[in-house]
Amino acid sequence: MPDALNRQPIADELLDTLVHRLGADYVLTDAADMLPYVQEQRRLYPGDALAVILPACTADVAFIVEQCRAHGVPLVPQGGNTGLVGGGVPQQSLVVALGRMSRIRDIDPTNATITVEAGCILQVVQDAAHDAGRLFPLSLAAEGSCQIGGNLATNAGGINVLRYGNARDLVLGLEVVLADGRVMNGLTALRKDNTGYDLKQLFIGSEGTLGIITAAVLKLFPMPRVTATALVGCDSPHQVLALYDQLRGQLSDTLTAFEFLPRFAMDAVLSHIQGARAPFDQSYASYALIELTTPDAGLDLNTRLEAALADAFENDVIKDAVIATSSTQSQALWRLREGVAEAQIAEGASIKHDISVPVSRIADFIEAASAACRSILPACRICAFGHVGDGNLHFNVSQPEAMDTAAFMDLTPQFNRAVHDLVADMNGSISAEHGIGLSKRTELRRYQDPVALAMMERIKAALDPQGLFNPGKLL
Ligand code: FAD
Ligand code: ZN
């Protein structure tokens, strides 16, 4: 890659060509215009873009890529820029922001598919599916601004993975602009297709390092007609796990979400989130938020859930439970879970881990990782919450109230080592949902199987021999 000074005349020539093709309004070079694209919301990574390019169609993207290739200029694909690991932050490269490519190309309720361009906001896709009487189940707190291209490039998870899978499981076909400027037209809407390698899966979770996703065929599902929501209080993560095991057996696929909160998270939400109401008269060590759904309008899920929780109560698995009797109550229970990220900020700095282990090991993990962190800093406050039904925890360590923040953050390497070593011992993953980006590259090198890592490097070299697609990220 030429250095920044040598690159300037090249960049000027490239930008002139792009302005000629796209129009000056869609080639941003002014620092203020570029600001929303050069840093993430949390501003953890300094960004620096040569320009931000806003293509309108797949042919534009292919043109931009060809030009970048000819000039040897790196590029970063970007969606809603809601990523949390620095994956979309440019470093002396062009940003190719897909937001203008937001057309819904087709919706086929009988085939249960929707074909969308990469720049479609997730919520817009959910709404379009809803209008057609179908469900697109991917759901996360950033759904009002993240885009399908970004969701696929990060293999996003969220709150419905237990029932419907990750973004990876929701895709039938992809259209991708490759690093050589060709377009891979894989927009098939087929549930059965055994014609060799499943190439689309290479790009899902590739964080913009292998190609630019320009469109996708996504799976739709029958619309849920009945929902039941409950919050339960337990004495320990082991009880929560036992409850999960019992409910999964009794309620089968109606179990759509099973989320975990420790007392610290619940107390933080009740202290800091406006309108949050305590669910019980007393507090418990652990809580689980449970949601059941079914498309069968005749099924009485509240009664089923009540019966299952009564069993759990008799078996001393849970201590207390509240079942929502209206959608307003259900939303109020969800607010307790959704408020955790914000409430945690109000408790000071935290060192975050986004891990997964087999579901059966999750309670052991919480206990062992909490003990390991306390042996580093006895007064640290563990905020391990999240998608326990998927074996995925946001295992965050909050600073002690009285401690200097910088001194606490200096302990990051020790906490990372303790938590990630335990993850590795349990055959887990150091990145369950958010990806590798810039933030976990070193950790990936440490924990990934060396043969798998070498294969990833070979794939990267084969598909992007000039190394121009999102350089310095993931690998
Ligand atoms: P961006 O942030 O723009 O990009 C992310 C990565 O994808 C970058 O590496 C970028 O280069 C690449 N990329 C983007 N578009 C393309 C494309 N068209 N082709 C190729 N590569 C591309 N994530 C979860 O998984 N589960 C959650 O529950 C969750 N909750 C969140 C809650 C909040 C409040 C926030 C701010 C984030 C959350 N995230 C969550 C993280 C984030 O929303 C997801 O990673 C999301 O999928 C990113 O989409 P985006 O469009 O914003 O992508
Ligand atoms: Zn999450």
Side-chain angles (χ1 to χ4, degrees), residues 154-433:
T154 57
N155 184 28
I159 52 168
N160 286 330
V161 173
L162 176 58
R163 167 73 182 80
Y164 298 100
N166 291 297
R168 188 183 291 293
D169 304 301
L170 302 173
V171 182
L172 291 177
L174 272 196
E175 179 187 86
V176 183
V177 174
L178 305 178
D180 62 9
R182 286 181 302 166
V183 180
M184 183 188 89
N185 181 357
L187 282 182
T188 48
L190 305 173
R191 308 219 173 225
K192 288 192 158 182
D193 177 14
N194 278 344
T195 50
Y197 304 144
D198 191 352
L199 295 174
K200 66 176 179 293
Q201 292 296 350
L202 270 183
F203 298 96
I204 300 171
S206 69
E207 301 186 36
T209 61
L210 298 181
I212 303 186
I213 298 166
T214 48
V217 181
L218 306 170
K219 287 186 202 170
L220 302 179
F221 293 82
M223 183 62 80
R225 306 274 168 220
V226 184
T227 300
T229 314
L231 190 89
V232 304
C234 297
D235 278 341
S236 70
H238 280 281
Q239 286 195 337
V240 171
L241 180 62
L243 175 67
Y244 167 78
D245 198 34
Q246 181 208 319
L247 296 186
R248 192 82 178 117
Q250 285 178 321
L251 302 166
S252 183
D253 267 353
T254 59
L255 187 61
T256 310
F258 191 95
E259 299 280 316
F260 173 78
L261 280 81
R263 176 183 285 155
F264 173 75
M266 179 65 84
D267 290 350
V269 169
L270 296 175
S271 308
H272 303 295
I273 302 298
Q274 218 181 358
R277 298 253 312 269
F280 306 117
D281 292 339
Q282 69 172 90
S283 61
Y284 295 96
S286 302
Y287 300 88
L289 178 65
I290 299 150
E291 188 147 285
L292 315 183
T293 62
T294 175
D296 179 351
L299 216 55
D300 183 352
L301 286 183
N302 266 10
T303 303
R304 284 190 175 204
L305 185 54
E306 208 177 314
L309 292 178
D311 287 350
F313 195 75
E314 266 177 31
N315 295 331
D316 206 22
V317 170
I318 66 173
K319 294 291 165 199
D320 219 336
V322 51
I323 299 181
T325 54
S326 66
S327 64
T328 314
Q329 278 184 16
S330 164
Q331 281 162 18
L333 294 180
W334 270 105
R335 214 169 299 131
L336 297 172
R337 161 65 183 89
E338 283 160 356
V340 177
E342 191 186 330
Q344 222 201 328
I345 295 170
E347 290 289 335
S350 66
I351 296 166
K352 298 183 167 61
H353 308 94
D354 164 34
I355 66 93
S356 63
V357 293
V359 179
S360 50
R361 302 303 309 275
I362 202 105
D364 293 339
F365 178 84
I366 294 172
E367 280 184 357
S370 302
C373 290
R374 289 196 184 104
S375 72
I376 295 168
L377 183 67
C380 73
R381 297 173 299 162
I382 304 298
C383 187
F385 68 97
H387 323 290
V388 153
D390 313 326
N392 171 203
L393 281 175
H394 298 303
F395 190 93
N396 299 345
V397 186
S398 275
Q399 68 171 90
E401 271 159 304
M403 189 172 179
D404 172 62
T405 297
F408 173 71
M409 294 308 288
D410 283 345
L411 295 172
T412 303
Q414 281 111 294
F415 283 118
N416 287 352
R417 196 57 53 244
V419 173
H420 290 161
D421 278 357
L422 272 167
V423 167
D425 284 350
M426 293 187 183
N427 276 328
S429 169
I430 57 153
S431 177
E433 275 199 319

Side-chain angles (χ1 to χ4, degrees), residues 40-41 76-84 87-88 98 118 139-142 145-159 207-209 211-214 387 394 433-434 470:
E40 280 182 353
Q41 289 174 10
V76 181
Q78 202 178 87
N81 199 16
T82 67
L84 299 171
L98 280 292
S139 178
L140 40 144
S145 46
C146 63
Q147 299 172 7
I148 289 298
N151 297 147
L152 300 183
T154 57
N155 184 28
I159 52 168
E207 301 186 36
T209 61
I212 303 186
I213 298 166
T214 48
H387 323 290
H394 298 303
E433 275 199 319
H434 300 154
N470 213 358

